[in-house]
Amino acid sequence: MFTDKAAVCPVHASADHPKIPPAKIGVLLANLGTPDGYDYWNMRRYLNEFLSDKRVVDYSAWIWQPLLQGIILTKRPFSSGAAYKSIWNEDAGESPLLTITKAQTAKMRELITETHGDRVMVDFCMRYGNPSTRSKVREMIQAGCQKILFFPLYPQYAGATSATACDQFFRVLMKEKWQPSIRTVPPYFEHTAYIDALAKSVERAYGLVDQKPDVLVASYHGVPQRYLMEGDPYHCQCQKTSRLLKERLGWGDEDIVTTFQSRFGPEEWLKPYTVEEVARQAEKGRKRIAVIAPAFSADCIETLEEINEEIRESFEEAGGEHFTYIPCLNDDDLHMRALTQVVSENLQGWV
């Protein structure tokens, strides 16, 4: 039932016709997701939803689900919960990813309103956890959004990120009586404004250290090597991101190395693995390194805990001396202007 105060009956309709709010356009940002808390049951619910997704783990359910529901979901909520606890935003009672995504949405809403007024509604959802894709699509339709631009916040496309976010969006639309017109934003890894924001974050970080790092490690979230062979473009888009970043900075090939993190399960994933490569760099005499995570639009468990703790530790144990983590672009003004530019380009013809 529509609840918008500006809702009215259509012209020439009978008095008992349902009221319809003024037509709007929705921009729905989507990120991976977050547990509601780091206790055992919140972590178990979140991990169950995440690891049951066939886009994330595509093994046969006959093999995978007994393992997941038994050993994995008995033990992993404890270790994952401890990792989340170490980075949790206790003041807000939420994960850093949720805090940052709220800030990103608020800044984009402000920028979009400056250009398009209140005709365009900006909000965000999570693929796993809350706020759910279903709840936010419902809110947008109730508010009168007859067109929705769906924006997965992943610079590079991968089946386990962009595709599963879109899958969920499409599933939600299947439940709607009146489906809005939709568009999905393609990967933006080679967008000039994004590369420029990425490069300036590197320049800013390098300007804060006494001595320039010997190498920049561009660490991307990993996927199984098999996915590349099956046609997923993620690996190629990551490599191109690093190349464009290197060219924008005016660096040589030896100044940046591309790696992949967050390996899970027994099969081979995209290489080199970040945790091993940083140790190799230290052993080669590169005692000062910086690490950036260009696949993440916002800092999260994989950056704040894995990079800044586990990967840092691997580097230092191998003899590394100075480790610099360059934060994700988060709600940095330059980043938000870049994302808003991507949105504006994809809204052409609608506004």
Side-chain angles (χ1 to χ4, degrees):
M1 196 68 184
F2 293 117
T3 58
D4 193 296
K5 292 181 179 178
V8 296
C9 289
V11 178
H12 305 307
S14 61
D16 62 350
H17 190 288
K19 292 184 177 181
I20 299 174
K24 292 183 179 181
I25 295 168
V27 175
L28 186 57
L29 311 178
N31 216 320
L32 182 74
T34 172
D36 294 328
Y38 50 75
D39 60 281
Y40 177 83
W41 290 109
N42 272 312
M43 288 305 310
R44 184 179 175 110
R45 279 192 294 272
Y46 174 73
L47 291 171
N48 183 47
E49 183 181 11
F50 175 49
L51 296 175
S52 291
D53 186 349
K54 292 285 285 185
R55 288 280 196 180
V56 175
V57 181
D58 63 355
Y59 300 147
S60 166
W62 291 99
I63 297 172
W64 177 241
Q65 281 299 322
L67 287 171
L68 177 63
Q69 301 302 326
I71 298 172
I72 296 172
L73 288 181
T74 298
K75 296 182 177 180
R76 194 174 177 94
F78 290 110
S79 58
S80 294
Y84 268 98
K85 184 178 181 180
S86 71
I87 65 164
W88 201 254
N89 181 350
E90 295 288 358
D91 291 338
E94 61 192 24
S95 72
L97 177 64
L98 183 54
T99 302
I100 294 165
T101 307
K102 286 179 178 178
Q104 290 175 323
T105 304
K107 282 196 174 182
M108 181 176 287
R109 185 180 295 125
E110 184 179 338
L111 291 168
I112 290 291
T113 300
E114 287 176 3
T115 306
H116 303 296
D118 61 1
R119 186 187 169 198
V120 178
M121 176 180 179
V122 181
D123 211 335
F124 76 96
C125 65
M126 297 293 182
R127 170 61 183 90
Y128 315 104
N130 295 304
S132 69
T133 306
R134 181 177 302 281
S135 67
K136 289 302 178 178
V137 169
R138 194 87 276 282
E139 284 181 21
M140 284 193 160
I141 291 176
Q142 288 180 332
C145 292
Q146 296 179 14
K147 298 174 181 177
I148 297 178
L149 177 67
F150 186 68
F151 190 178
L153 291 175
Y154 309 105
Q156 302 82 17
Y157 172 96
T161 54
S162 306
T164 190
C166 289
D167 286 347
Q168 185 67 4
F169 180 56
F170 299 145
R171 276 192 290 267
V172 168
L173 291 174
M174 291 171 65
K175 304 287 186 181
E176 294 301 325
K177 294 289 186 188
W178 183 0
Q179 287 184 339
S181 298
I182 64 165
R183 291 177 179 173
T184 59
V185 177
Y188 56 94
F189 67 97
E190 56 187 346
H191 197 288
T192 303
Y194 161 70
I195 294 297
D196 189 54
L198 207 58
K200 285 183 177 173
S201 75
V202 174
E203 291 169 342
R204 194 160 51 240
Y206 274 40
L208 295 174
V209 295
D210 295 333
Q211 188 174 333
K212 180 182 176 182
D214 300 315
V215 65
L216 175 66
V217 176
S219 180
Y220 298 83
H221 197 291
V223 297
Q225 174 74 18
R226 171 171 53 87
Y227 289 10
L228 168 63
M229 308 315 293
E230 292 171 351
D232 193 305
Y234 179 69
H235 176 265
C236 300
Q237 292 183 3
C238 292
Q239 295 288 353
K240 187 169 184 179
T241 303
S242 293
R243 177 174 65 78
L244 292 173
L245 175 60
K246 177 194 70 176
E247 291 172 356
R248 163 60 181 77
L249 291 167
W251 290 0
D253 292 342
E254 71 284 355
D255 295 319
I256 185 169
V257 59
T258 298
T259 64
F260 299 90
Q261 64 182 86
S262 308
R263 181 166 45 129
F264 176 79
E267 67 180 304
E268 184 173 300
W269 281 41
L270 296 177
K271 291 182 176 179
Y273 302 138
T274 305
V275 71
E276 296 177 359
E277 183 61 28
V278 295
R280 276 195 292 270
Q281 293 294 326
E283 291 163 359
K284 286 165 56 177
R286 292 181 157 185
K287 304 299 185 182
R288 298 172 175 269
I289 69 167
V291 179
I292 193 170
F296 298 91
S297 62
D299 275 307
C300 55
I301 191 75
E302 285 86 1
T303 63
L304 297 174
E305 195 274 336
E306 186 177 358
I307 290 180
N308 228 355
E309 294 182 22
E310 178 186 346
I311 290 168
R312 176 193 293 269
E313 184 178 313
S314 175
F315 173 68
E316 291 175 347
E317 286 182 351
E321 297 172 359
H322 299 279
F323 183 99
T324 300
Y325 170 61
I326 300 174
C328 292
L329 296 177
N330 296 324
D331 64 336
D332 174 79
D333 287 344
L334 198 61
H335 183 219
M336 295 317 303
R337 285 197 292 272
L339 294 183
T340 302
Q341 185 177 337
V342 172
V343 166
S344 295
E345 289 168 1
N346 281 272
L347 286 176
Q348 289 183 17
W350 276 7
V351 293

